[in-house]
Amino acid sequence: MARKIRMGMIGGSLDAFIGAVHRRGAALDGEVELVCGAFSSNPEKSKATGEALYLPANRVYGSFEEMILKEKELPEGERMDFVTIVTPNHVHFAAAKMALENGFHVVSDKPATLNTEEVYLLRDIIEKSGLIYCLTHNYCAYPMVKEAKQMIKNGVIGKVRKVIVEYPQGWLSQLLEATGQKQAGWRTDPARCGAAGGVGDIGTHAENLAEYITGLKITEICADLTIFVEGRQLDDDANMLLRFDNGAKGILHNSQICNGEENDLNIRIYGEFGGLKWKQMDPNTLILTNQEKGSRIIRTGVGDLSPQAQAHTRQPAGHPEGYIETFASIYRNFSYALRARWGEVAKENAAGGLAGESEILTGGYNPEIHDFPGIEEGIRGMVFIDTVVKSNEAGAVWTKVEEH
Amino acid sequence: MARKIRMGMIGGSLDAFIGAVHRRGAALDGEVELVCGAFSSNPEKSKATGEALYLPANRVYGSFEEMILKEKELPEGERMDFVTIVTPNHVHFAAAKMALENGFHVVSDKPATLNTEEVYLLRDIIEKSGLIYCLTHNYCAYPMVKEAKQMIKNGVIGKVRKVIVEYPQGWLSQLLEATGQKQAGWRTDPARCGAAGGVGDIGTHAENLAEYITGLKITEICADLTIFVEGRQLDDDANMLLRFDNGAKGILHNSQICNGEENDLNIRIYGEFGGLKWKQMDPNTLILTNQEKGSRIIRTGVGDLSPQAQAHTRQPAGHPEGYIETFASIYRNFSYALRARWGEVAKENAAGGLAGESEILTGGYNPEIHDFPGIEEGIRGMVFIDTVVKSNEAGAVWTKVEEH
Amino acid sequence: MARKIRMGMIGGSLDAFIGAVHRRGAALDGEVELVCGAFSSNPEKSKATGEALYLPANRVYGSFEEMILKEKELPEGERMDFVTIVTPNHVHFAAAKMALENGFHVVSDKPATLNTEEVYLLRDIIEKSGLIYCLTHNYCAYPMVKEAKQMIKNGVIGKVRKVIVEYPQGWLSQLLEATGQKQAGWRTDPARCGAAGGVGDIGTHAENLAEYITGLKITEICADLTIFVEGRQLDDDANMLLRFDNGAKGILHNSQICNGEENDLNIRIYGEFGGLKWKQMDPNTLILTNQEKGSRIIRTGVGDLSPQAQAHTRQPAGHPEGYIETFASIYRNFSYALRARWGEVAKENAAGGLAGESEILTGGYNPEIHDFPGIEEGIRGMVFIDTVVKSNEAGAVWTKVEEH
Amino acid sequence: MARKIRMGMIGGSLDAFIGAVHRRGAALDGEVELVCGAFSSNPEKSKATGEALYLPANRVYGSFEEMILKEKELPEGERMDFVTIVTPNHVHFAAAKMALENGFHVVSDKPATLNTEEVYLLRDIIEKSGLIYCLTHNYCAYPMVKEAKQMIKNGVIGKVRKVIVEYPQGWLSQLLEATGQKQAGWRTDPARCGAAGGVGDIGTHAENLAEYITGLKITEICADLTIFVEGRQLDDDANMLLRFDNGAKGILHNSQICNGEENDLNIRIYGEFGGLKWKQMDPNTLILTNQEKGSRIIRTGVGDLSPQAQAHTRQPAGHPEGYIETFASIYRNFSYALRARWGEVAKENAAGGLAGESEILTGGYNPEIHDFPGIEEGIRGMVFIDTVVKSNEAGAVWTKVEEH
């Protein structure tokens, strides 16, 4: 009989931010259950977290190495099926590598690794393992992002000419890392975060969103990075000009010093015959602009939407769906892919609801619909970071985006 | 050792809407696990739903009566702790009654019962049982609704003068119930829905929201109900004038024929010194108006908010929180209340996250913060429906809201 | 040779509000020039105003009676063509009467008169005079209001079912009239304002807007008026239920104590097949809702709009047009009607611009396009006030709207 | 006795766009009257325009040269006081030069001249003439732009760190100039428009707005220009990175191919302690962001605003003021400056209204309040265009903004 898929978590102790996001996302659709965890490199914290999560003490580990080895020894009917990695960036590679080499599928928070060297190594390891690797670039899982991608694919706005993608935040307007705040601490520390600060943390989300929706690749970047807050070690503001592989031009800026901005990831894309506008903070609305016909408001759950948008919608129109659902959708899609490997036909969305009603699942897992980011998106992100840093160091000059 | 709280579900088969909402809400914070269900009065549908939810076959029942009796016989370490009732309205009372009389706590979708007779009987049964009864008037669990309530309590806008509360939808603009659509079917059928249509389904949410935020009681109503769609049996549009117990005046309208409206519950409250505006479809924003100082935008997660708002927030500012979180908060608060009965100190929010960081839980369950609606709100709702129907039948005249 | 049309102003001294609005509106399109005025019953104030307006001293009068008599004696090539009445309400009738009886056309601010007795008398006087009477219910001159009216006329949303029209302001949240503020003074004084306060001042705008756009008549009203600010003599808040002559239902509320609201006149109209939403404070946007197709954003100057909307648009899309343009359009339309009487073909909009480009004027003045409110709208307004006051005095009961 | 100031117009025939804007703006406040014009280089068109404007035939001229010479010969009590130049760019310099050299003050549409050579010559001519030169960079005359400038001056957001200014339009998404459309024709023709297309037409507005509000100077630009529409001769899209003289960084983009965008000039400015956001299409709203306190909505006419904002406001809050008012304010301020030269104390705003009420004019013309752009802003604009073109031609490299 079918059973829930078993997850082991690496990182995500009680005082972390993204660990709880992943736990809630994984739980939402009822496909996945948390069975074990190495929540912290501090064994006491790991234990306390396990207790708060009502896990049995023997499934809470002091390190990811211990978890992987011990779980591997458990009988198949009991041991975890995959690990989810929610640590700071510098642990991503080692944890993913060990999990894959021991036969566990991997879900990982982004960026995939600390640097490009690691990301290419990881690609090879994944390939060799034959296992599933899923990277939680979650913003692409919003229904209206799915819809935007399909509209562009279907030529609704014609050839793309201009892309403006922004990710302003304001939370690092002062030297927060000097106060001991945990989130600020590792995100501004090159050893744990990598060669870039805001560019790695949120700029990569902007890059991923732009390439995902348009289906285009950024080919050249001119990037002007700044550290505005004295005493900070990594960039807290980035302004970039972009060029795309179809001749489109663009702007990307991300910032952590836009005082008063919350998490305002947004994108505007203009083509020959229209434009598309989307804002993460109002995620269930997509605007289609048109010079002759005026604008249309496209909304989650309203009217004839693509199967892709429908499959990522859980409520009737007007019942706001948000951030947590994006993680849920990635875990759900990952689960469907895994069940397909197991020879199971993905059935009704286990938690029920709209996906079931619209019978999108007839015929089971469909990678055209239940897509999720993987190592290719991870490589794009790491190469993006590298290119930006290189451009900036050379004096904010045009620099080619080159993958090996 | 602490464990998750065990839920048995009544109603909520795969083709239902609200069952999945409850399952997701209950799962989100990791406090509750679904252990059994009587998902449909059709045993085949109940079984199929149980399978899709990965429940063991022996915990999936053909009727709620069977479930309650069989679960009662299971050992304490295994049997469910409470039932959640997510059926159409006409089943609410019988299911709640039997659960309570057999020692199970109850969570119930609204309205509490089919009519006022039942609701007063239910009050007595709850009282006699000494068990917890929780009614999922979910919209009051949004962080910005919590904040609005505290602001009014703290006198920020002075004495309330005017309340405008609206709940327009458009989905019944045509005779959808004639097409066999399940949601439309029972909601327009007096036998399953009660004496009122839209007034019971969504008008009660508007009434509850207005009374919850303002802390006032509606004392008189003048209601003009209409059935706009030919062939429909129950009201699909309602316009009401309101009077409140402090002398405030108000307007309430709910509709299912506002063609093109999604689920636009919203409220505006004006007092001597300012006003508050909130829209369910943009739930993380609260506007405080003021004649002399202009308006302030109050946002989930931004600045100094009340402990009540903070305790119902899961993400940093700008990461949209939505509808599913309101159910999660009610289940979480119910869980904390239940643990307090068990002598457990509610710990960190089991799924981790912000509530933990802000240490709101220090000292454990706090009914001033972790409140949830119960039978009193259920009675208000049923009396509201009665008063509205009576006013309308008498020719849309002023009618007193009278509780027994 | 054609010349500008000559206006004499009654009321509108420098410390008034609406006088300057009329002067600017009349000046905007270059069709009208101010040639004389009786700006105040205080001759000193009248004189000072005339000077500030660069009028010759001999054309500034101490009373409207003086102005009408003296101007009448001037040669035709010099004397004013019409008067514009911008005084408090209690002067409207006497000034209009005397002007008409002495051969001058009239433009008047609303409401037409102080009470219904006067308005019926005025209708007879106008009829007898054969002159043009124009009432500046300006909000109906916004391009998107014109568009909404045409859309309903053309059946875009089908039969109208529900109308919600609101006019909340907050400026009288305290007893402003006690401070000597001039605008508050006369508007809260029954002798100068009439039997109703806010209902006459702004409720009539809401009534006019609803009837203008829908083409329907309000047939019954249930009105609950309140004086919230102690010491005030007239209503500062009104909540009403409406019934229309086609079976539609509605809500109208106007208020001057919605603390923090500016001038938020807005309307929502729902029909069988869609809805229309418009807000005066964002006047160049009209939303067309539709249950199946989602919403469209209709914008001043964008796409294929009705000749009516185009003829009331002066700038290319995106150049905000506002309040002053609505007065300008009424003066412009009045001017065209007057020129048509004179046998002149209204040419290009004298100030040039869009109307010219779109060649709407080919063929000259078109009353289907260049409409403006007159005495019929004035009567509707006065009867509305009467009905509301009567309903409220009888205890907020349903009362028929009856014209003689 | 005081009289209206007399304006002669150069350009602005009936089929032009900006001429009517200037006429309406000049007329709005009653300070200025149009007395003559050379509306077109085509005498027939000039004559027809003069007739439509009700000008006497002898004051309508066939060329600006004729107008300047003939008006000069008229007696002082009759002849024009200043010219306003509303032609395509290539005429600006010659017309301004001749007017100034013949003793007439000048108001000119922007950009000041066709190229930088001319602009420096013009500066010298103005200086030598001792006359007033006013450049209608109108967007800086919006009340909320005035307020933003004062807030930054007063340190409300601290030192400016980041500026994002955008001016997207969509009207040139296709090769409109090939259809004979007049506005598109000259704006895409280097001979009449200058070295840049969109950059000169709208990019300069963005540059002016950013420098005006912040009080900073742009020192370096990296500009990537594109011609997206085949067959076009000048840039229709521009993406730029900016550096400012205080170390701030920025982004400017302007475009005429953002399909479906109307006229969406907007700016965001972030400082150490907060941010300011303003959009031209919603001009009466200014948002002040703050990381700790949340956002405030600052509105035209609401609360304690700067004298600068108040002096540019004509209506009570909530009565939308728009584009035409910005031109009116520039003409009004120019008039006040001119009256001050004449030894007149600027009195009440001649058209009456709010400025009068708030007694801002006590003491007469105040250049700190009644400011308007002049030749310095003209030079900045021309140098900006030059720098952008140079940067782009060198391959989109960083280029210093250098004034002579």
Side-chain angles (χ1 to χ4, degrees), chain B residues 227-281:
Chain B
I227 298 174
F228 275 110
V229 177
E230 218 172 318
R232 181 159 292 155
Q233 297 185 65
L234 290 171
D235 55 284
D236 51 26
D237 186 74
N239 296 332
M240 308 180 201
L241 303 182
L242 308 178
R243 292 173 182 162
F244 290 86
D245 56 359
N246 77 334
K249 300 286 183 81
I251 288 168
L252 184 155
H253 79 88
N254 62 264
S255 184
Q256 294 157 324
I257 56 87
C258 285
N259 198 305
E261 295 296 348
E262 300 177 12
N263 200 48
D264 189 19
L265 174 64
N266 69 82
I267 192 163
R268 289 166 281 169
I269 302 165
Y270 298 98
E272 295 165 295
F273 312 126
L276 286 166
K277 304 201 276 192
W278 180 80
K279 292 171 94 57
Q280 192 268 150
M281 286 173 59

Side-chain angles (χ1 to χ4, degrees), chain B residues 58-280:
Chain B
N58 64 335
R59 301 294 286 275
V60 182
Y61 303 95
S63 72
F64 73 79
E65 294 89 346
E66 185 195 350
M67 179 171 90
I68 290 171
L69 295 177
K70 291 261 180 73
E71 287 286 319
K72 200 180 173 183
E73 289 166 15
L74 292 176
E76 209 186 351
E78 201 176 325
R79 73 165 174 253
M80 67 181 183
D81 296 308
F82 73 100
V83 300
T84 188
I85 304 169
V86 298
T87 64
N89 304 347
H90 66 300
V91 180
H92 289 184
F93 174 68
K97 178 175 188 293
M98 185 169 172
L100 290 163
E101 291 178 345
N102 283 279
F104 296 106
H105 304 279
V106 169
V107 174
S108 173
D109 208 79
K110 46 62 53 189
T113 58
L114 193 67
N115 53 51
T116 43
E117 288 68 44
E118 287 181 358
V119 84
Y120 288 117
L121 289 175
L122 183 57
R123 177 172 59 182
D124 296 342
I125 294 165
I126 294 165
E127 214 162 281
K128 202 169 143 196
S129 75
L131 297 170
I132 302 178
Y133 176 85
C134 168
L135 190 70
T136 54
H137 262 304
N138 65 297
Y139 294 113
C140 290
Y142 275 113
M144 289 299 97
V145 171
K146 300 288 183 191
E147 187 68 13
K149 182 181 177 65
Q150 295 306 314
M151 290 175 78
I152 287 180
K153 211 172 166 180
N154 295 333
V156 173
I157 64 167
K159 189 184 160 189
V160 170
R161 289 168 167 177
K162 181 158 194 169
V163 178
I164 303 157
V165 62
E166 309 182 319
Y167 202 147
Q169 297 180 330
W171 69 298
L172 293 180
S173 289
Q174 267 70 45
L175 197 67
L176 192 60
E177 57 268 46
T179 68
Q181 208 260 13
K182 181 173 167 162
Q183 300 306 321
W186 75 260
R187 277 183 174 80
T188 59
D189 172 7
R192 287 177 287 170
C193 188
V199 167
D201 192 29
I202 56 176
T204 48
H205 276 304
E207 165 268 321
N208 179 250
L209 186 69
E211 294 197 344
Y212 183 75
I213 296 183
T214 62
L216 302 175
K217 298 283 182 211
I218 301 168
T219 55
E220 271 187 283
I221 300 175
C222 175
D224 194 18
L225 308 190
T226 313
I227 298 174
F228 275 110
V229 177
E230 218 172 318
R232 181 159 292 155
Q233 297 185 65
L234 290 171
D235 55 284
D236 51 26
D237 186 74
N239 296 332
M240 308 180 201
L241 303 182
L242 308 178
R243 292 173 182 162
F244 290 86
D245 56 359
N246 77 334
K249 300 286 183 81
I251 288 168
L252 184 155
H253 79 88
N254 62 264
S255 184
Q256 294 157 324
I257 56 87
C258 285
N259 198 305
E261 295 296 348
E262 300 177 12
N263 200 48
D264 189 19
L265 174 64
N266 69 82
I267 192 163
R268 289 166 281 169
I269 302 165
Y270 298 98
E272 295 165 295
F273 312 126
L276 286 166
K277 304 201 276 192
W278 180 80
K279 292 171 94 57
Q280 192 268 150

Side-chain angles (χ1 to χ4, degrees), chain C residues 1-4 14-17 20-21 23-24 27-31 51-55 139 142 262-263 280-281 283 299-300 302 314-320 322-325 339 347-353 357, chain D residues 1-4 14-17 20-21 23-24 27-31 51-55 139 142 262-263 280-281 283 299-300 302 314-320 322-325 339 347-353 357:
Chain C
M1 204 199 87
R3 59 167 177 82
K4 291 199 182 186
L14 287 179
D15 57 353
F17 151 52
V21 170
R23 283 193 290 269
R24 287 192 171 99
L28 197 73
D29 287 339
E31 286 285 339
E51 269 173 30
L53 296 168
Y54 308 111
L55 285 179
Y139 295 113
Y142 276 113
E262 300 176 13
N263 200 48
Q280 193 267 150
M281 287 172 58
R299 292 269 310 162
T300 301
V302 176
R314 286 169 181 78
Q315 310 300 339
H319 298 75
Y323 180 72
I324 211 69
E325 281 91 338
R339 290 196 190 280
K347 286 175 305 183
E348 292 287 350
N349 182 321
E357 282 193 31
Chain D
M1 206 198 83
R3 58 166 178 83
K4 292 198 181 185
L14 287 180
D15 58 352
F17 151 53
V21 170
R23 284 193 290 270
R24 288 192 170 99
L28 196 75
D29 287 340
E31 285 285 339
E51 268 173 30
L53 297 168
Y54 309 111
L55 285 179
Y139 295 112
Y142 275 113
E262 300 176 12
N263 201 48
Q280 192 267 151
M281 287 173 58
R299 291 269 309 161
T300 302
V302 175
R314 287 168 180 79
Q315 310 300 340
H319 299 74
Y323 180 72
I324 211 68
E325 282 91 339
R339 289 196 190 281
K347 285 176 305 184
E348 291 289 349
N349 183 321
E357 283 194 32

Side-chain angles (χ1 to χ4, degrees), chain A residues 164-287:
Chain A
I164 304 157
V165 61
E166 310 182 319
Y167 202 148
Q169 298 179 330
W171 69 299
L172 293 180
S173 289
Q174 268 68 45
L175 197 68
L176 191 60
E177 58 267 48
T179 67
Q181 208 259 14
K182 181 172 165 161
Q183 300 306 321
W186 76 260
R187 277 183 174 82
T188 58
D189 172 7
R192 287 177 288 170
C193 189
V199 166
D201 192 29
I202 56 176
T204 48
H205 275 304
E207 165 268 322
N208 179 251
L209 186 69
E211 295 197 344
Y212 182 76
I213 296 183
T214 62
L216 301 175
K217 299 283 182 210
I218 302 168
T219 54
E220 270 187 283
I221 300 175
C222 174
D224 194 17
L225 307 190
T226 313
I227 298 174
F228 275 110
V229 177
E230 218 172 320
R232 182 158 292 154
Q233 297 184 65
L234 290 171
D235 56 284
D236 50 26
D237 185 74
N239 297 332
M240 309 180 201
L241 304 182
L242 308 178
R243 292 172 181 164
F244 290 86
D245 56 1
N246 77 333
K249 298 285 183 82
I251 290 169
L252 185 156
H253 80 89
N254 63 264
S255 183
Q256 294 157 324
I257 56 87
C258 285
N259 197 305
E261 295 296 348
E262 300 176 14
N263 200 49
D264 190 18
L265 174 63
N266 69 81
I267 191 163
R268 288 166 281 170
I269 302 165
Y270 299 98
E272 293 165 296
F273 312 125
L276 287 166
K277 305 201 274 193
W278 181 80
K279 293 171 92 59
Q280 193 266 152
M281 287 173 59
D282 183 16
N284 298 301
T285 299
L286 174 67
I287 304 290

Side-chain angles (χ1 to χ4, degrees), chain A residues 95-161:
Chain A
K97 178 175 188 293
M98 184 171 174
L100 291 162
E101 292 178 345
N102 284 278
F104 296 105
H105 304 280
V106 169
V107 174
S108 173
D109 209 78
K110 45 62 54 189
T113 57
L114 193 67
N115 53 49
T116 44
E117 289 69 41
E118 287 181 357
V119 84
Y120 288 117
L121 290 174
L122 182 57
R123 178 172 59 182
D124 296 342
I125 294 166
I126 295 165
E127 215 161 280
K128 202 169 145 198
S129 76
L131 297 170
I132 303 179
Y133 175 85
C134 168
L135 189 71
T136 54
H137 262 305
N138 64 298
Y139 295 112
C140 290
Y142 275 113
M144 289 300 96
V145 171
K146 300 289 183 191
E147 187 68 14
K149 182 182 178 64
Q150 294 306 313
M151 290 175 78
I152 287 181
K153 210 170 166 182
N154 294 333
V156 173
I157 64 166
K159 188 184 161 188
V160 169
R161 288 169 168 177

Side-chain angles (χ1 to χ4, degrees), chain C residues 281-296:
Chain C
M281 287 172 58
D282 183 16
N284 298 302
T285 299
L286 174 67
I287 304 290
L288 172 64
T289 63
N290 181 280
Q291 200 62 24
E292 287 79 33
K293 296 182 219 156
S295 294
R296 273 185 53 211

Side-chain angles (χ1 to χ4, degrees), chain D residues 15 76 82 103 111 113 145 190 258 393:
Chain D
D15 58 352
E76 208 187 350
F82 73 100
T113 57
V145 170
C258 286
E393 284 177 354

